[in-house]
Amino acid sequence: MDFDYSPKVKALQQKLQAFMESHVYPNEKRYEDEVKAGDRWQPVPLVEELKAKARAAELWNLFLPESKHGAGLTNLEYAPLCEIMGRVHWSPEVFNCSAPDTGNMEVLDRYGTEAQKREWLGPLLEGKIRSCFAMTEPAVASSDATNIEARIERRGDRYVINGRKWWSSGAADPRCKVFVLMGKTDPGNPDRHKQQSMILVPRDAKGVSIVRTLPVFGFDDAPHGHAETLFEDVEVPLTSILLGEGRGFEIAQGRLGPGRIHHCMRAIGQAEVALEKMCRRVQSRVAFGKPLAEQTVTLERIAEARIAIDQARLLVLKAADKMDKAGNKAAAMEIAMIKVAAPNMVCKVLDWAIQAHGGGGVTEDFGLAQSYAWARAMRIFDGPDEVHRNQIGRLELRRHR
């Protein structure tokens, strides 16, 4: 396997890095100040300002492999760019490359009708609206998606939706205009993977309501955030269904593969930042007569962090390469492996970085606590560690029958 980046990717890396150094890193404090000022759930002026600069720099919609709407990059080519954007948790939106919009745009691009694309994909690609993916539910163990209970019932020329969702990321953002919702259209189907469908639900449809926003270890992630949402007798046209009834799992598999690559590479970006902060901190602090950087335990943790980050990156690039060459289904084991390896790695690196910062590490002063909250949550969303480990184990056993 040759993972040397192509000249095209290297040029984009340099361009993206230059943009981050000129416009994103110097404005991290301004972003925090703007979120805290006034209504936390309103769009951040800085982000809207930088979006225009990113479009002008042709750093816009870099994802979407195999699509006329993207930048023409494969998963392997996009991965290192995603790592750079992931270094600052809010920066992917600047480039219109943030979740859950990226996954929802891929769904619409791959599976949507021309009418659905005109209504929703076009505005999303332009960055004029945002979207939400509504799958997880509070009443069932959603790690097994066949448990999903939300109902999508056909009544005449309409679908009627009833259900309660949570961790609906982005639902509280006033720019959110559409939900991609997974629910059951055929709960009695003997094939449990054909009971579910995905459907498009306008945010302003009658019967859609936000119950509450959900913080992650105390961080509300405003203005994006995560919400518990209620759908009560919500009616949408039959043309709102995606791909057809019973195709929900098929769509989910197409959506989650690239999304996991994105999440893992963003996590690697966070780990790199944590290691940088740790190295700076231990060189500026003295304890027991010598700098922390000269303490054996510190040197060992720095070394282990470097090893772990590079291992995780290579594993993610391998998964992306296999997806590009053989498809998501053939890369199932590699995708499951990175979803376990990357968040566990970044949790460990962040934990060491927090320890090196002492009491300051658990405050909001250094950004490590919020990064840790996100990394720990990543071990649950898009499938918990246990689910992926079970899949990896079954696939490995199959190889030795």
Side-chain angles (χ1 to χ4, degrees):
M1 291 172 288
D2 180 7
F3 291 140
D4 186 26
Y5 300 130
S6 68
K8 176 177 68 173
V9 173
K10 288 178 180 178
L12 280 168
Q13 282 179 295
Q14 292 174 359
K15 193 175 183 180
L16 184 57
Q17 186 63 50
F19 189 98
M20 296 286 286
E21 290 173 358
S22 296
H23 303 295
V24 177
Y25 301 143
N27 282 309
E28 290 190 74
K29 180 63 167 59
R30 178 183 160 190
Y31 177 89
E32 293 174 7
D33 291 343
E34 289 185 355
V35 170
K36 291 175 182 177
D39 185 348
R40 293 175 57 79
W41 299 100
Q42 291 302 311
V44 180
L46 169 65
V47 174
E48 299 306 309
E49 174 187 314
L50 294 185
K51 282 181 180 180
K53 294 181 184 295
R55 293 197 73 169
E58 297 182 341
L59 293 171
W60 190 258
N61 291 337
L62 296 172
F63 65 107
L64 278 175
E66 301 176 5
S67 169
K68 64 181 181 180
H69 298 298
L73 302 174
T74 64
N75 287 299
L76 181 60
E77 290 172 326
Y78 177 61
L81 307 179
C82 207
E83 177 181 341
I84 294 171
M85 289 184 275
R87 290 173 60 88
V88 176
H89 72 90
W90 51 266
S91 77
E93 185 187 350
V94 169
F95 309 99
N96 213 38
C97 292
S98 56
D101 295 334
T102 47
N104 290 341
M105 284 188 266
E106 287 197 46
V107 164
L108 286 162
D109 187 58
R110 291 184 183 186
Y111 309 114
T113 65
E114 289 306 311
Q116 290 168 345
K117 291 177 184 179
R118 282 193 301 271
E119 186 172 6
W120 304 118
L121 179 59
L124 282 167
L125 288 166
E126 289 291 317
K128 294 178 178 178
I129 66 171
R130 297 209 65 184
S131 61
C132 176
F133 186 64
M135 179 174 172
T136 306
E137 298 178 4
V140 297
S142 301
S143 57
D144 177 0
T146 61
N147 285 336
I148 295 302
E149 293 180 339
R151 286 299 311 273
I152 305 171
E153 298 177 273
R154 184 168 179 168
R155 298 180 190 171
D157 62 349
R158 313 285 286 178
Y159 283 111
V160 180
I161 301 158
N162 282 281
R164 184 183 293 266
K165 301 286 185 179
W166 70 347
W167 299 110
S168 305
S169 297
D173 189 320
R175 296 166 297 175
C176 178
K177 300 301 180 185
V178 63
F179 290 88
V180 178
L181 179 142
M182 188 164 178
K184 286 188 176 177
T185 46
D186 186 9
N189 194 310
D191 185 342
R192 64 194 186 113
H193 292 101
K194 292 185 178 178
Q195 297 176 356
Q196 297 80 10
S197 302
M198 285 198 190
I199 197 163
L200 299 170
V201 182
R203 170 65 183 84
D204 60 2
K206 183 180 179 181
V208 177
S209 59
I210 303 293
V211 178
R212 57 174 173 153
T213 55
L214 301 165
V216 181
F217 290 133
F219 296 98
D220 62 11
D221 291 340
H224 181 59
H226 321 277
E228 182 174 347
T229 51
L230 189 60
F231 299 83
E232 299 177 290
D233 291 326
V234 179
E235 295 188 10
V236 296
L238 296 181
T239 52
S240 302
I241 203 80
L242 280 164
L243 198 58
E245 292 186 13
R247 310 288 291 275
F249 263 88
E250 180 182 344
I251 297 170
Q253 291 308 305
R255 183 187 190 278
L256 289 174
R260 286 169 181 154
I261 295 289
H262 304 172
H263 277 313
C264 289
M265 290 305 287
R266 283 192 288 265
I268 289 167
Q270 289 286 306
E272 287 285 7
V273 171
L275 179 56
E276 291 167 14
K277 290 179 178 179
M278 177 164 61
C279 288
R280 288 196 295 269
R281 181 74 171 187
V282 299
Q283 292 180 82
S284 68
R285 284 293 196 273
V286 174
F288 306 104
K290 61 181 179 180
L292 292 179
E294 294 179 14
Q295 308 280 355
T296 303
V297 67
T298 302
L299 291 169
E300 181 179 336
R301 286 173 178 173
I302 291 171
E304 290 293 337
R306 172 46 58 207
I307 293 166
I309 291 170
D310 286 0
Q311 285 177 332
R313 181 185 293 108
L314 286 170
L315 189 58
V316 178
L317 293 177
K318 178 188 176 185
D321 186 57
K322 190 163 185 178
M323 286 169 60
D324 291 332
K325 292 176 177 177
N328 292 7
K329 188 174 182 178
M333 187 168 183
E334 286 77 8
I335 294 169
M337 288 166 67
I338 65 171
K339 187 55 181 61
V340 174
N344 278 276
M345 175 278 294
V346 73
C347 277
K348 177 58 73 175
V349 173
L350 279 161
D351 186 71
W352 285 332
I354 289 169
Q355 199 72 9
H357 283 73
V362 296
T363 69
E364 296 181 47
D365 292 358
F366 298 95
L368 296 169
Q370 185 171 12
S371 292
Y372 185 85
W374 177 82
R376 183 60 184 84
M378 189 182 170
R379 291 184 53 203
I380 298 172
F381 64 71
D382 281 1
D385 289 359
E386 294 85 351
V387 170
H388 292 295
R389 285 193 171 105
N390 284 344
Q391 183 184 22
I392 295 163
R394 286 193 295 267
L395 290 170
E396 185 65 19
L397 284 170
R398 192 178 300 169
R399 293 173 55 193
H400 301 284
R401 284 176 182 167

